[in-house]
């Protein structure tokens, strides 16, 4: 498998594969504020901000031909994200979700996504040149949610792409993000995850999701499972607790940054992943990368919604 750091003198090309949805934030008075979000899209935005002109960050998805999709593309362009791999499907719409947060900043999601355009991301004729181009990227990033929304046919296409990309020395990055409601059964999800994990170079894992999906009893069991797979770099994200890292046979523990008040934990993990990956690609050590991840996540959880304003300190 490939190491993450560094990529070399050329500007790396990074493609993130997944879904962006219309986001509604429910306020205390019952009103709704509309924006956009999705796990891999959140990571793409924060990664683009962190890398700046040191990388080309592209998003791979399918949208509709509606005004919301237009607005998404405009925002991504303003964030420096490339749209060349974004399909626009006539008559289709993006998915939608609503965030409800409690007094402690913990969130609950309500989804409307079964007919979302992204479900046909890899099934259309227009997807063929996109799939053909992906193995030439330096880094491919996807998540457990990506696996779910692509469906069985799309996952097969993704696996073929990962195999070819690794043959061309690409780095493969995976965030587990297990959402039970997106799967017909736990067994289906397990099979889908196991089909892609052998190709992953960096696994960014939320411990709760690993326990829910595979039943691992503790952190050591997670590390052991991924050691058997052969994943060279594994990061265990544990919320407000210290994250744990195993890289090239070494184990590290990096404390999280405490904040006075948690407003909204949406995209905490996504932003951590973005900052961690950016640091590693720019030559940072696993510990330095985790510190960068905690720092960004601590900023994100103090602001409502998935994406904090650009001018907010990161």
């Amino acid at each position: 498998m490939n190491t993450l750091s560094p990529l070399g003198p050329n500007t790396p090309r990074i493609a993130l594969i997944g879904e962006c949805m219309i986001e509604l934030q429910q306020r205390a008075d019952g009103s709704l504020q509309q924006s956009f979000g999705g796990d891999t899209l959140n990571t793409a935005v924060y990664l683009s901000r962190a890398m700046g002109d040191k990388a080309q960050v592209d998003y791979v998805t399918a949208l509709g031909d509606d005004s919301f999709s237009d607005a998404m593309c405009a925002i991504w362009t303003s964030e420096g994200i490339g749209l060349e791999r974004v399909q626009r499907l006539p008559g289709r719409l993006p998915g939608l979700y609503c965030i409800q947060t409690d007094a402690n900043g913990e969130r609950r999601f309500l989804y409307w996504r079964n007919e979302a355009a992204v479900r046909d991301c890899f099934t259309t004729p227009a997807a063929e040149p996109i799939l053909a181009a992906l193995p030439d990227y330096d880094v491919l990033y996807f998540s457990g949610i990506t696996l779910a929304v692509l469906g069985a046919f799309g996952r097969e296409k993704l696996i073929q792409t990962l195999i070819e990309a690794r043959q061309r020395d690409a780095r493969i990055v995976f965030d587990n993000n297990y959402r039970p409601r997106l799967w017909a059964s736990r067994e289906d999800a397990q099979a889908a995850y196991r089909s892609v994990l052998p190709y992953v170079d960096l696994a960014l894992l939320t411990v709760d999701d690993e326990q829910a999906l595979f039943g691992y009893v503790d952190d050591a069991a997670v590390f052991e499972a991924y050691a058997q797979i052969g994943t060279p770099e594994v990061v265990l994200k544990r919320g407000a607790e210290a994250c744990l890292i195993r890289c090239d046979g070494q184990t590290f523990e990096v404390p999280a940054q405490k904040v006075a008040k948690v407003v909204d934990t949406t995209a905490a993990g996504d932003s951590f992943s973005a900052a961690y990956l950016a640091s590693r690609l720019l030559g940072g050590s696993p510990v330095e990368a985790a510190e960068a991840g905690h720092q960004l996540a601590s900023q994100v959880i103090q602001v409502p919604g998935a994406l904090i304003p650009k001018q907010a300190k990161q």
Side-chain angles (χ1 to χ4, degrees):
M1 294 216 172
N2 302 320
T3 59
L4 260 282
S5 174
L7 277 175
N10 297 324
T11 301
R13 299 172 67 231
I14 307 168
L16 296 94
I17 307 164
E19 177 183 28
C20 180
M21 294 179 288
I22 302 165
E23 176 186 280
L24 300 177
Q25 301 168 34
Q26 186 169 9
R27 295 173 169 175
D29 62 1
S31 64
L32 298 172
Q33 179 176 342
Q34 187 263 310
S35 56
F36 302 108
D39 67 335
T40 53
L41 186 279
N42 299 335
T43 301
V45 169
Y46 288 121
L47 183 61
S48 180
R49 293 180 185 181
M51 298 292 289
D53 60 3
K54 295 181 177 65
Q56 171 59 50
V57 177
D58 291 343
Y59 198 54
V60 183
T61 194
L63 299 174
D65 56 357
D66 58 289
S67 60
F68 286 108
S69 297
D70 291 341
M72 285 184 188
C73 289
I75 291 172
W76 302 348
T77 298
S78 72
E79 293 283 358
I81 296 172
L83 305 182
E84 188 177 359
R85 313 302 176 196
V86 176
Q87 295 180 67
R88 301 295 299 272
L89 305 183
R92 302 295 294 276
L93 294 168
L96 180 147
Y97 70 104
C98 180
I99 303 172
Q100 299 174 322
T101 54
D102 63 21
N104 296 318
E106 290 301 320
R107 76 265 197 220
R108 173 173 178 256
F109 294 95
L110 304 174
Y111 291 101
W112 296 262
R113 75 196 313 169
N114 288 341
E115 302 301 322
V118 72
R119 302 226 170 222
D120 289 323
C121 185
F122 287 166
T123 67
T124 66
E128 293 305 316
I130 294 173
L131 288 165
L134 289 179
D136 288 328
Y137 279 79
D138 298 291
V139 180
L140 297 181
Y141 182 109
F142 65 103
S143 74
I145 293 176
T146 307
L147 294 179
V149 300
L150 287 180
F153 181 81
R155 287 194 294 271
E156 287 300 318
K157 292 287 189 180
L158 176 63
I159 291 170
Q160 295 170 17
T161 299
L162 298 180
I163 293 172
E164 188 172 351
R166 297 211 71 260
Q167 291 172 345
R168 302 185 194 183
D169 205 34
R171 280 75 162 175
I172 309 299
V173 184
F174 177 66
D175 190 320
N176 63 348
N177 275 354
Y178 171 53
R179 301 293 181 267
R181 291 185 179 181
L182 295 179
W183 297 94
S185 69
R186 183 168 174 251
E187 292 71 24
D188 284 352
Q190 289 174 342
Y193 278 59
R194 286 172 176 149
S195 70
V196 300
L197 288 177
Y199 310 109
V200 172
D201 300 297
L202 168 60
L204 297 156
L205 310 176
T206 300
V207 171
D208 291 347
D209 288 351
E210 286 295 297
Q211 292 174 337
L213 178 57
F214 293 114
Y216 298 132
V217 295
D218 55 24
D219 301 336
V222 177
F223 278 130
E224 176 60 27
Y226 280 81
Q228 292 179 8
I229 295 169
T231 311
E233 187 165 351
V234 179
V235 180
L236 300 187
K237 297 179 287 184
R238 305 191 302 167
E241 297 182 37
C243 73
L244 303 177
I245 306 163
R246 182 165 293 179
C247 181
D248 294 331
Q250 294 183 287
T251 302
F252 309 94
E253 181 174 348
V254 183
Q257 292 194 10
K258 305 299 182 182
V259 301
K261 179 176 176 57
V262 175
V263 174
D264 185 355
T265 58
T266 304
D270 305 331
S271 59
F272 177 98
S273 296
Y276 185 95
L277 177 58
S279 178
R280 292 292 281 136
L281 295 177
L282 293 172
S285 69
V287 170
E288 290 170 333
E291 289 171 345
H294 284 314
Q295 180 179 12
L296 178 55
S298 72
Q299 296 292 325
V300 170
I301 62 177
Q302 297 181 75
V303 179
L307 300 176
I308 62 177
K310 272 187 179 181
Q311 62 268 26
K313 184 180 178 181
Q314 295 185 32

